[in-house]
Amino acid sequence: MESTTAVIIVVALAALVLAVAVWVLARLVRTRRVMRRAGLPTGPRWVFWGAVLYFVLPADLVPDPVYLDDIGVLLLALRTLRRSPDAGPPDAVDYRK
């Protein structure tokens, strides 16, 4: 009975981490789309596409049930997009839309 509870907890945590990773990916895509519509530079393309490919492809630094490395790469790409040298102040774009 205890092993079943442990498995359920591990699966629930893995699902939660995956949901966070998908949320960060969606935020990255949304931020890039909003910046492009506003005519702001989005930084190097390879940063965006590299982060998306790292999330999608099965080859990772840490095995896929643990998405912490994927979340880190996506957050780094999101930070790079937001802090593009030509983008101006971070408050110039409303990221919530």
Side-chain angles (χ1 to χ4, degrees), residues 6-59:
V7 168
I8 290 172
I9 290 172
V10 168
V11 168
L13 285 174
L16 178 67
V17 172
L18 175 61
V20 169
V22 169
W23 177 77
V24 173
L25 176 65
R27 187 159 174 113
L28 176 68
V29 170
R30 190 178 320 123
T31 300
R32 184 170 186 263
R33 187 179 305 143
V34 168
M35 289 177 73
R36 287 183 61 134
R37 263 191 228 140
L40 296 172
T42 57
R45 275 187 183 173
W46 65 269
V47 172
F48 173 77
W49 290 111
V52 171
L53 282 175
Y54 188 82
F55 180 73
V56 173
L57 293 178

